[in-house]
Amino acid sequence: RSQVWPDFADSAYHAFVTMAKISADHDIVGPALEVVEAELPAAGIPAQIGQDVEPKEGNSFVNCLVRFPCSSALGIMTLCLITVINTVAIIAEQGAEIFGSGANNDLNDVRTQEWEAYDQAKEWVKIFGQSEVDSDCVVESFGFSRPCDNRTYPAQTQSGEVILTVFVAKDGDNLFTEDNLEQIRAVENTIVKNKAFDEYCLRRDKSGADKSCQQPPSPLGLFYAPDISTASIFNEIDELDGQADGDLEVFSTPSLNADLAVIQSNLLSCSSGTVPGCSLVSLNASQNAKDIYRLMLPFVTALQRPRGDALQDVGKTLKLAAYMKAVGFYAPLVDYYFDKDFSISNPKSKHSRGVLSFGLPLAGYKNKDDAAEEQSENFSTWFRAEFNDYLKNTKDAGNVEVLFFATPLVRDEFLQIIVNDLLKVLISLSLVFLWIFLQTGSIVIAIAGITEIILSIPLAFFFYYSVFGFKYFDGLNAMTIFIVAAIGADDIFVFMDQFKMSSYHPEVCVNLKTRMNWVYSRASWAMFITSATTCSAFICTALSPLPGIQSFGIFSAFVIAADYVLVITWFPACVIIYHNYLEGRPCCPCCCFDFGSEQNSWGEARCRVQELWPYTRTMQTSTQKVRERGPEDAPTKRMMERFLSGPFAGFLGSRFGAYCTTIFFLLLLIPSAVLASQIKPLSSSEESLPADHPFQRLWTVSGEEFPSSAQTQNTPVHLVWGIRGVDTSGISVLREGAAKRGQLVWDESFQFDEAAQQHIWNVCEEVRRMDVAKLEDFLSRDTDSAQKYGWVECPLDAWKAWLERPGGPGFPLPLQFVKDEMPAFLESETVNEFNQSIPVKESIKLGYDATQESVRVVMITVKSQLQSRASHAAAILKQNYELFQEWIEEVNDRDGRLAAPPSANKAFQTSEGDFNGPNWVWMHTQGLFTQSSISGACVGCVLAFIVILVATRQIIIASAAFVSIACILVTVIAMMQIAGYEMGTITSICITILAGFAVDYVVHLAHAFNHAEAETRVEKFQQAFDMIGVSVLSGMVTSVLAALALLTCDLQFFAKFGFFLICTVIWAWLWGNCFFMCLMSLWGPDSTTPWWLQVPNSILPQTWNCGRREKSSAA
């Protein structure tokens, strides 16, 4: 106590204690020193300052928040942290397997069931022998897994990394000029003539005896063929028809393909004369075929040898290649190097391509699975140091654009892309945080808001996964962070704007409890209506048969619900804490503490800060300031509030402005509808990276500019006998997870009898011979076979050879004797391409059940003309699927070409795939994306209409909102068409969730108009803008800022989603504020509206409305 004025100090001390007791008795929450206030009704019924009124409790939850803000915030945060810990524990336990994207298939579709049947049957067959499998080692590749191999292979004989190169002529339409060929040769020589190339190349001889490198497929083999004269060969062939006119008409000889195959198959050595008595003359083939074979043999042989130094005649080489491309026997030798426009009439190609293959295992390793990461790092280090910079610089050198895709660099490249894009995601959240800070003026509120947005994700996951038991979680669900960032920020603005608007009403700022009840009653109901409508729109996506879309829609609804719960619980507690201790204070709370005398540095700094931002612990709160100000001290509205409720609302609210705006938007709808109707299904493979990215450019050129070729790594297709499919009844992937695939269903009619054996072998022979012309349209030839047969893996070949061994019973074998021969056959050994002895059971796809002593399943594998490791459009997949399906129907036809017996007439075919899963399943999935997008958006609009009708109880408001939301959908789809987007996977997903975004702003405005207390619709229109206009605008700006960073992402999913989000929120704001509100201004329900236009509100019992009317009047 002061020694100067002891009496005064005693008086001050007792006064402080008395005021503190009074404050405690009246439950006054706030700073330590506060003026004693009289309680008012919590609902905010107007009362004069100081007037004694009977206190009412108001909302008990809000009163609890006001009285215990810190405890409430801490308790809610503790519960949230529990959900965070639960989420982290689940992720730590399951790892990447928690994402079930690989099971995003329609289990009710026959193509999915056939693939699942094949996949399960393949496991049952046990292609990999148990004695050779390390059960602790599994290799993952392109979504498929296999056990590690324990065998030892000769060094560099297994396929390893590859470099795909594409060459594009920068000028003109012909790549193959002398200068350009020299440039291409320089690029190839830089790699193949590197001093260490022999240590990494793929060796030609799989047995390891010959250590020379395999010649890489390249157009240079045609133009630098060694030890021959291509011009001379061309001229000799040209003279076969008796006219040296430059046209090789002999290549049009009927049955040329078949004759060449006969010659190659039976008399391969005749042309060299190494077989005594062998002569081409004796063969049953046309003379033209014999002459062509004889003249072309040196050229074909030269293609397999190292490049020569001399450049062949470019023009005649191109012409000869064009004729070879037209003949199926020779086409596989040349069709890989020329684009789809290359032909006999147009022997020019703007594009070409090549492959450089490298081998495994490296020296010191036993196979490619042995320390795979270590081998990969060894090779990648060498390749990156020697060629990475060089290949990147070749893109801009010379007249040839060199594009390359080097598999050793893919992981690093994509990792960099993903990291960069994730950083841009953080930028999006930072922009949201910045806008919240700018609008609220408080970094504390901004931190609380962004924390609430982020916490809604683990909270939603806890209820989605642990409480409701949805075990399937799709990778697409990661996009909900942007959805909740947009909608969550909108809710924050609604709450904070109502909090700020309360300062315009002194009658509700008598104390904090009254003020918060007023804010809570207005904001929570508005947020509930919009959240419920948005959740309903997202739940509509559950109608899709795809588990991925179902998971995304349901999880998004959980996220929106979690955000709503947090924004009405934890966020108000933070606002109260901010109001009590931080509102109106500077950002440096330390200024209120004494750090020493003014003579030291801390004291000087404190004094200077206090001069700029005066701060004491007894500063007034905003509630106190509002209560104590006079009528002349009314606060000034913010600029956006003045604009929206002033000129903007004034023009739209006028009769002239409302009619003009309505007509303008209706006219705008006409071209939008036309454009939206023109959006097309995906016509080419969907881009994953920007069009100018080197990888994407290579994929685009490879997929669109080149025809299918046998030299590409094409996708296998499997024909299966013995399986009917899988039983998926009662299975819910969403509930049971991605591992649930159905029960295998056997074909009980299948028997491995004589007729079945002969039939399956006949199918293999048909593929091998390729005698049926239409097979050339969808099956690939085997370029490694001397006869250029069709590519086929057939277990009946080995079975037939076993039965026809010396002393064998012969093929086909009667059914009753199969059980005697099959066990010994499967245990016998064969020699693979690496000259290794392996059990037959490991090399064939034939399933023998020893317990039943019967063959249960037989599979043969052919190769399609669909390139592997590529994404294909639905139209291309459908075309190939129909060709395969037509063929399999012929295979099963009892009276057809192959005469299927009853014991083997139920085969099915299924295709493998890569990036997007099995090809036929992906084809169906792409169609479902399109169907689900349209149906989901439409059902979302209808459901939004129902929710708005229930919430507002006004048919006019609900109908106008429905029309507005539908117009938003049409306009956004039109924007996609203008941007050149097709109905691909990304755009379909965006349209699917469009309704969820489109309803938000319209519902806010509909709720505000319906709860406006004015009598006339024009006054209700004005009050609605006063109440919610700035919140809706702030929400729109936040969404746009969040999406802007996405536009710069390299991953096109993010970029297109950003474009979609920007278009949706901008058009939703325009249609909502301009079109919908003009409809309300002209025809919205008010006191003059007939009762039959106010249903169902006008026909409901009056007691239903009493509570709402009382609260609204109080508001």
Side-chain angles (χ1 to χ4, degrees):
R1 294 184 180 180
S2 171
Q3 296 180 356
V4 179
W5 299 300
D7 295 336
F8 176 78
D10 286 339
S11 300
Y13 174 77
H14 289 296
F16 176 83
V17 172
T18 301
M19 293 176 65
K21 289 181 179 179
I22 294 174
S23 296
D25 293 339
H26 286 268
D27 294 330
I28 296 175
V29 179
L33 297 179
E34 191 164 336
V35 178
V36 179
E37 306 165 351
E39 290 282 352
L40 283 185
I45 298 176
Q48 297 296 326
I49 303 292
Q51 177 182 351
D52 292 330
V53 295
E54 182 182 354
K56 293 183 180 179
E57 291 300 323
N59 188 306
S60 301
F61 176 74
V62 177
N63 295 340
C64 180
L65 290 179
V66 173
R67 187 170 185 178
F68 308 107
C70 294
S71 300
S72 301
L74 183 60
I76 296 169
M77 177 56 67
T78 301
L79 295 176
C80 290
L81 289 178
I82 293 175
T83 66
V84 172
I85 294 172
N86 172 266
T87 302
V88 171
I90 293 174
I91 294 175
E93 178 184 355
Q94 298 193 12
E97 294 181 0
I98 193 172
F99 294 106
S101 300
N104 188 22
N105 304 322
D106 178 12
L107 285 182
N108 295 319
D109 180 65
V110 64
R111 283 145 294 209
T112 303
Q113 294 175 356
E114 288 172 345
W115 168 258
E116 293 293 348
Y118 161 75
D119 200 40
Q120 292 187 39
K122 182 180 64 175
E123 297 173 4
W124 188 87
V125 169
K126 297 180 180 179
I127 297 175
F128 302 97
Q130 296 299 319
S131 60
E132 300 291 341
V133 174
D134 181 357
S135 60
D136 295 330
C137 179
V138 176
V139 176
E140 298 283 347
S141 178
F142 292 100
F144 299 95
S145 61
R146 62 171 177 82
C148 294
D149 192 353
N150 282 341
R151 298 187 187 93
T152 300
Y153 296 82
Q156 299 168 232
T157 56
Q158 291 183 286
S159 298
E161 308 284 3
V162 297
I163 303 174
L164 306 178
T165 53
V166 170
F167 308 101
V168 183
K170 294 181 180 178
D171 300 320
D173 57 354
N174 187 23
L175 172 69
F176 297 110
T177 64
E178 292 187 11
D179 291 340
N180 290 348
L181 286 168
E182 287 295 337
Q183 183 180 345
I184 296 173
R185 188 185 187 199
V187 173
E188 183 178 293
N189 285 345
T190 300
I191 298 175
V192 300
K193 293 189 176 182
N194 183 275
K195 60 183 179 181
F197 180 76
D198 290 345
E199 300 174 14
Y200 296 96
C201 71
L202 179 64
R203 291 177 178 171
R204 180 172 54 188
D205 184 7
K206 300 295 184 182
S207 67
D210 183 359
K211 301 187 184 304
S212 60
C213 296
Q214 176 179 290
Q215 286 300 308
S218 167
L220 297 178
L222 297 170
F223 296 96
Y224 290 91
D227 304 327
I228 63 167
S229 172
T230 303
S232 298
I233 295 174
F234 180 90
N235 293 334
E236 289 186 60
I237 297 175
D238 187 19
E239 293 173 356
L240 291 178
D241 61 358
Q243 299 181 20
D245 55 3
D247 294 331
L248 307 184
E249 296 179 2
V250 292
F251 275 92
S252 302
T253 301
S255 303
L256 181 61
N257 269 326
D259 289 345
L260 290 171
V262 170
I263 295 170
Q264 183 80 348
S265 177
N266 298 291
L267 299 174
L268 185 60
S269 302
C270 289
S271 60
S272 62
T274 57
V275 178
C278 179
S279 173
L280 284 171
V281 178
S282 61
L283 294 177
N284 184 21
S286 67
Q287 187 59 44
N288 281 343
K290 297 173 184 178
D291 292 336
I292 291 174
Y293 183 86
R294 174 178 53 82
L295 294 173
M296 287 293 297
L297 184 59
F299 182 79
V300 172
T301 304
L303 296 180
Q304 312 303 321
R305 297 167 59 190
R307 315 281 186 255
D309 295 326
L311 179 64
Q312 300 285 345
D313 186 302
V314 176
K316 291 186 176 180
T317 302
L318 287 172
K319 274 194 171 184
L320 180 60
Y323 280 98
M324 292 173 66
K325 186 173 179 287
V327 179
F329 183 81
Y330 289 122
L333 300 176
V334 297
D335 58 3
Y336 183 77
Y337 310 120
F338 302 98
D339 60 28
K340 60 185 179 183
D341 296 326
F342 182 77
S343 64
I344 296 174
S345 60
N346 181 46
K348 298 178 181 179
S349 181
K350 184 179 177 66
H351 311 84
S352 187
R353 56 184 172 176
V355 180
L356 285 167
S357 300
F358 298 89
L360 291 172
L362 300 180
Y365 301 91
K366 66 179 183 179
N367 58 51
K368 65 180 181 181
D369 295 342
D370 180 17
E373 288 291 332
E374 186 177 313
Q375 292 190 72
S376 177
E377 183 62 29
N378 184 330
F379 175 80
S380 299
T381 301
W382 167 75
F383 184 86
R384 193 180 295 109
E386 296 290 336
F387 309 118
N388 189 35
D389 293 339
Y390 171 77
L391 288 174
K392 288 182 177 180
N393 293 334
T394 57
K395 184 178 185 296
D396 301 319
N399 295 320
V400 179
E401 180 185 6
V402 181
L403 304 172
F404 72 95
F405 180 83
T407 56
L409 304 180
V410 169
R411 183 174 62 178
D412 293 341
E413 182 73 18
F414 273 94
L415 182 61
Q416 183 179 356
I417 289 173
I418 292 172
V419 170
N420 290 339
D421 284 357
L422 288 178
L423 290 177
K424 292 171 183 177
V425 172
L426 295 178
I427 292 175
S428 295
L429 295 178
S430 300
L431 291 174
V432 173
F433 171 83
L434 179 62
W435 185 253
I436 296 175
F437 168 68
L438 293 176
Q439 287 300 105
T440 61
S442 169
I443 193 170
V444 175
I445 294 298
I447 293 174
I450 205 70
T451 302
E452 171 261 315
I453 289 172
I454 295 173
L455 284 176
S456 61
I457 300 291
L459 179 60
F461 182 82
F462 173 77
F463 282 94
Y464 174 90
Y465 193 91
S466 301
V467 177
F468 286 86
F470 294 109
K471 301 304 180 184
Y472 181 86
F473 191 80
D474 197 82
L476 179 63
N477 294 355
M479 299 304 294
T480 53
I481 186 63
F482 300 103
I483 296 173
V484 73
I487 297 177
D490 182 54
D491 289 343
I492 290 170
F493 292 134
V494 169
F495 190 92
M496 289 305 300
D497 287 338
Q498 295 304 312
F499 184 79
K500 291 182 179 180
M501 289 178 62
S502 65
S503 65
Y504 304 153
H505 305 279
E507 65 274 13
V508 302
C509 290
V510 176
N511 59 33
L512 183 59
K513 183 185 295 185
T514 304
R515 183 181 184 182
M516 287 304 297
N517 271 275
W518 186 88
V519 172
Y520 202 90
S521 64
R522 291 165 64 95
S524 62
W525 181 244
M527 292 185 294
F528 173 78
I529 297 300
T530 55
S531 298
T533 310
T534 306
C535 286
S536 301
F538 278 119
I539 289 176
C540 288
T541 61
L543 298 175
S544 171
L546 298 176
I549 299 298
Q550 295 174 352
S551 173
F552 174 78
I554 295 174
F555 182 71
S556 297
F558 273 102
V559 171
I560 300 305
D563 174 78
Y564 172 74
V565 170
L566 290 177
V567 86
I568 64 170
T569 56
W570 189 71
F571 186 73
C574 295
V575 172
I576 294 171
I577 294 172
Y578 164 76
H579 168 273
N580 290 346
Y581 304 106
L582 298 172
E583 187 180 24
R585 277 75 164 177
C587 59
C588 183
C590 61
C591 299
C592 64
F593 299 101
D594 189 2
F595 290 99
S597 65
E598 297 182 5
Q599 281 71 34
N600 59 39
S601 57
W602 280 109
E604 293 178 1
R606 171 177 171 272
C607 292
R608 180 57 180 161
V609 170
Q610 280 196 324
E611 290 178 7
L612 297 175
W613 299 288
Y615 183 97
T616 64
R617 281 171 287 177
T618 59
M619 292 183 71
Q620 287 183 318
T621 64
S622 60
T623 304
Q624 293 172 314
K625 292 179 180 179
V626 173
R627 184 184 63 236
E628 296 179 1
R629 72 169 183 246
E632 68 282 355
D633 297 328
T636 303
K637 292 184 177 181
R638 293 168 289 172
M639 182 180 67
M640 283 198 300
E641 290 179 295
R642 295 196 303 270
F643 170 75
L644 289 173
S645 60
F648 185 77
F651 173 75
L652 296 180
S654 67
R655 201 164 187 80
F656 173 78
Y659 272 113
C660 289
T661 304
T662 303
I663 294 172
F664 171 79
F665 274 86
L666 290 176
L667 292 176
L668 177 65
L669 184 63
I670 297 174
S672 298
V674 173
L675 288 171
S677 65
Q678 294 175 352
I679 193 165
K680 299 177 296 185
L682 198 63
S683 59
S684 60
S685 59
E686 198 161 20
E687 294 181 347
S688 302
L689 298 173
D692 58 349
H693 191 281
F695 285 178
Q696 185 60 57
R697 180 122 169 80
L698 181 141
W699 295 333
T700 301
V701 172
S702 297
E704 298 180 3
E705 300 298 338
F706 291 98
S708 60
S709 170
Q711 292 200 44
T712 57
Q713 187 176 354
N714 291 332
T715 305
V717 174
H718 307 282
L719 278 66
V720 183
W721 285 266
I723 304 294
R724 294 296 303 271
V726 291
D727 181 12
T728 59
S729 58
I731 292 178
S732 172
V733 174
L734 199 63
R735 285 284 187 183
E736 301 176 63
K740 204 67 175 177
R741 302 184 299 169
Q743 183 68 36
L744 195 65
V745 179
W746 297 98
D747 177 11
E748 300 298 338
S749 67
F750 174 73
Q751 295 186 31
F752 197 60
D753 57 16
E754 291 176 279
Q757 296 171 43
Q758 187 65 53
H759 173 67
I760 297 173
W761 187 80
N762 289 341
V763 173
C764 297
E765 276 295 287
E766 178 173 277
V767 176
R768 210 173 348 253
R769 297 292 181 181
M770 296 287 277
D771 292 333
V772 181
K774 62 182 180 181
L775 298 183
E776 296 276 3
D777 297 335
F778 58 93
L779 293 180
S780 290
R781 289 184 178 269
D782 184 3
T783 58
D784 293 332
S785 69
Q787 299 85 359
K788 301 298 181 291
Y789 281 154
W791 196 99
V792 61
E793 284 184 351
C794 183
L796 271 295
D797 291 341
W799 173 245
K800 185 173 183 291
W802 170 262
L803 297 179
E804 293 179 346
R805 71 189 186 277
F811 177 86
L813 187 67
L815 179 63
Q816 63 269 27
F817 300 121
V818 170
K819 66 179 184 297
D820 300 325
E821 291 288 336
M822 188 60 68
F825 164 68
L826 293 176
E827 293 299 328
S828 65
E829 292 190 342
T830 185
V831 178
N832 62 13
E833 60 181 337
F834 300 97
N835 200 28
Q836 298 171 326
S837 295
I838 60 173
V840 168
K841 65 182 180 182
E842 295 183 24
S843 62
I844 64 172
K845 297 177 182 177
L846 184 148
Y848 177 72
D849 189 346
T851 59
Q852 297 187 12
E853 297 184 330
S854 64
V855 175
R856 301 299 303 274
V857 59
V858 177
M859 309 178 194
I860 71 171
T861 302
V862 299
K863 279 193 176 180
S864 68
Q865 295 182 9
L866 295 167
Q867 185 175 346
S868 295
R869 301 184 181 181
S871 177
H872 302 284
I876 297 174
L877 293 176
K878 183 179 180 181
Q879 178 184 358
N880 281 267
Y881 171 76
E882 291 175 348
L883 290 171
F884 271 100
Q885 197 61 25
E886 181 182 347
W887 179 49
I888 201 67
E889 290 173 1
E890 294 175 353
V891 168
N892 290 328
D893 189 356
R894 296 185 181 184
D895 303 320
R897 183 177 62 254
L898 296 169
S903 58
N905 65 347
K906 294 182 177 63
F908 66 84
Q909 58 87 19
T910 185
S911 172
E912 292 188 11
D914 279 312
F915 298 113
N916 298 305
N919 280 336
W920 307 153
V921 178
W922 174 238
M923 173 194 69
H924 176 66
T925 300
Q926 290 185 75
L928 287 180
F929 274 133
T930 303
Q931 298 172 17
S932 301
S933 65
I934 302 301
S935 61
C938 293
V939 174
C941 288
V942 174
L943 195 56
F945 168 80
I946 296 173
V947 174
I948 296 172
L949 182 63
V950 171
T952 63
R953 290 178 257 191
Q954 293 287 351
I955 188 66
I956 294 179
I957 295 178
S959 300
F962 173 80
V963 172
S964 301
I965 294 169
C967 291
I968 296 169
L969 296 176
V970 172
T971 311
V972 173
I973 296 175
M975 292 299 296
M976 292 182 175
Q977 169 68 11
I978 293 173
Y981 292 163
E982 294 179 327
M983 190 65 80
T985 306
I986 301 174
T987 50
S988 297
I989 292 172
C990 289
I991 294 174
T992 301
I993 64 178
L994 176 56
F997 274 117
V999 303
D1000 198 43
Y1001 302 149
V1002 174
V1003 173
H1004 270 310
L1005 294 166
H1007 173 266
F1009 182 88
N1010 188 54
H1011 284 73
E1013 294 302 316
E1015 292 295 324
T1016 66
R1017 57 177 62 98
V1018 175
E1019 293 173 340
K1020 290 164 72 72
F1021 172 92
Q1022 182 67 50
Q1023 285 188 11
F1025 270 111
D1026 290 341
M1027 183 187 305
I1028 206 70
V1030 68
S1031 303
V1032 172
L1033 178 61
S1034 297
M1036 184 270 290
V1037 173
T1038 305
S1039 301
V1040 171
L1041 290 175
L1044 281 177
L1046 295 181
L1047 294 178
T1048 63
C1049 288
D1050 287 327
L1051 293 176
Q1052 290 302 285
F1053 186 91
F1054 286 143
K1056 289 184 178 180
F1057 187 83
F1059 173 84
F1060 152 81
L1061 183 55
I1062 290 175
C1063 290
T1064 301
V1065 297
I1066 290 178
W1067 282 111
W1069 189 87
L1070 290 173
W1071 279 97
N1073 283 269
C1074 300
F1075 181 75
F1076 173 77
M1077 290 304 290
C1078 285
L1079 293 180
M1080 293 297 97
S1081 174
L1082 294 172
W1083 300 290
D1086 64 0
S1087 58
T1088 64
T1089 303
W1091 70 269
W1092 52 274
L1093 287 178
Q1094 295 194 56
V1095 293
N1097 185 66
S1098 58
I1099 61 177
L1100 290 175
Q1102 292 301 309
T1103 55
W1104 288 29
N1105 298 322
C1106 292
R1108 184 178 68 86
R1109 291 184 180 277
E1110 180 181 349
K1111 291 181 180 179
S1112 299
S1113 300

